[in-house]
Structures are given as C-alpha cells and as structure tokens.
Amino acid sequence: MKLYDFPLSGNAYKARLMLALAGIDYHSQVVNLGAGEQRSADFLKLNPAGQVPVLQDGDTVVAGSRGILEYLAGRYAPEYLPEDTAERAQVVEWLCFVAARIDPGLSTTRLIKLFNAERDYAAAEAVALASLLELEERLCGREWLVGAAPSIADIAVYPYVRHAEDGDIALDAHQYPNVCAWLLRLESLPGYVAMAA
C-alpha cells in the first residue's frame, strides 16, 4: 500500500493518522508540491485534481482524505465506521462539517499564515471561530463526535483543529475545554502519530 503524501498537508495527515491508528503498514511517497510534482502527467493519472493525498492499494486508487478514510475503515478498520445506520449518518454529517466549516475556516487561516495563500483572512477567521464554538457545544457531555468510540469523523475533524494556531487561531483551554479534552483523548489512542511541525 502506498500513500502519496506531503508532510505539511492536513488532509494527507488525516490519511497517515488513520493508517497509524489502524496499524496498517504502508509506504509514504512524498509529492513535492513546491516543485509542482502534483501536476505531473503520472500523478494526474492517479488524481486528476492534482492534490494529495492519494492512496494506492493494489489496483485500487482512492484520492482525497474523505474517500481514503472511508475506504480504510470499510476495508481494514471497521471499528472506525459505526454499524448503526443513524450513527453512520452522523459520521457523514461530520465529514460535511469538515468540507463546509473546517476547510473554509481553520484550513484556510492555516493556508494563509503558513503558505502565504491569497485569501480573505478575516472571512476565514470568522468561519474558523464559529466552527470551534460549534464543535465546543457539540462535544459537551461527549467523549467522541459519534457514539462511544472514535470514528473517522474524529480523524477528519482533528488535524486542522489541533493546528488552529498555525493560522493564528488560539485554542484556549478555558474557552474551549471540551475541544481541548477531545484533542487529548485522540492523542492518547494507541498508534497516534503527530503531524510534522
């Protein structure tokens, strides 16, 4: 199994984290985004969008963190995808939360501050802060985002929340006690790996 990867990509990190937590052996193939390797003809055959991560498992190629998380859970780590239909629907809701709230918020503020992306920081910051408040409320009285155990929902939401400060968004334990406790719970799971600094 091969993961086309980039160390500072939060989306690629989701795949690495899932692989580590599930104890799945794989080979990491770093794609040099700065040199434009993601736009090479060979890479575009794997993912026409020209983005990491991409997972190659034998003849199966899965592009994008959401697809990779669902594929790995479905094939290798079913404990990360609830069997209950209602809980599985909640997992999908959280994956949509990532696309609608985390990506334009915490992911974008990080992109602006770390990589000098030309985006509207004030707009991204407003979405980031709103998403953290929503996450704080929804974690009230809960250990995990869905059900009684960690799922791919937790893995999908975790990276850009943990690295909020890369985008100059403070993760104050007094303001976000539930979020901070949830981060620590995930980080205490066997097999946990941190994202590259």
Side-chain angles (χ1 to χ4, degrees):
M1 186 180 299
K2 181 186 290 186
L3 178 69
Y4 292 85
D5 195 0
F6 182 70
L8 293 178
S9 164
N11 287 320
Y13 171 57
K14 294 173 192 179
R16 289 196 308 275
L17 181 57
M18 178 70 187
L19 288 159
L21 292 174
I24 300 169
D25 289 329
Y26 72 100
H27 168 70
S28 176
Q29 175 70 49
V30 174
V31 178
N32 187 336
L33 303 184
E37 287 181 5
Q38 73 277 21
R39 294 186 297 276
S40 70
D42 287 343
F43 189 80
L44 290 173
K45 288 177 187 174
L46 296 171
N47 183 6
Q51 297 175 333
V52 294
V54 176
L55 183 75
Q56 190 167 26
D57 184 17
D59 293 332
T60 301
V61 175
V62 184
S65 59
R66 176 179 172 174
I68 291 170
L69 292 179
E70 292 193 42
Y71 174 78
L72 291 172
R75 181 151 189 185
Y76 297 104
E79 65 274 21
Y80 282 92
L81 197 57
E83 290 183 16
D84 178 77
T85 304
E87 288 189 351
R88 192 170 288 214
Q90 290 173 33
V91 168
V92 173
E93 287 178 15
W94 280 108
L95 296 177
C96 292
F97 176 85
V98 171
R101 307 297 297 278
I102 299 291
D103 288 348
L106 293 167
S107 174
T108 299
T109 55
R110 183 174 182 268
L111 194 63
I112 293 167
K113 293 297 181 177
L114 282 190
F115 302 103
N116 298 313
E118 293 185 13
R119 305 282 196 281
D120 184 340
Y121 182 82
E125 180 185 37
V127 175
L129 294 173
S131 67
L132 283 174
L133 287 173
E134 183 175 346
L135 183 60
E136 175 66 20
E137 285 182 18
R138 294 179 70 178
L139 278 167
C140 185
R142 308 184 58 84
E143 290 195 356
W144 304 106
L145 297 180
V146 177
S151 70
I152 62 171
D154 298 281
I155 296 169
V157 173
Y158 171 82
Y160 289 114
V161 175
R162 165 46 73 205
H163 291 273
E165 293 182 354
D166 286 349
D168 287 348
I169 305 293
L171 268 184
D172 187 298
H174 296 293
Q175 188 172 8
Y176 306 112
N178 296 325
V179 171
C180 291
W182 168 73
L183 294 172
L184 292 175
R185 274 192 294 278
L186 197 145
E187 290 159 10
S188 70
L189 292 173
Y192 170 83
V193 293
M195 185 162 73

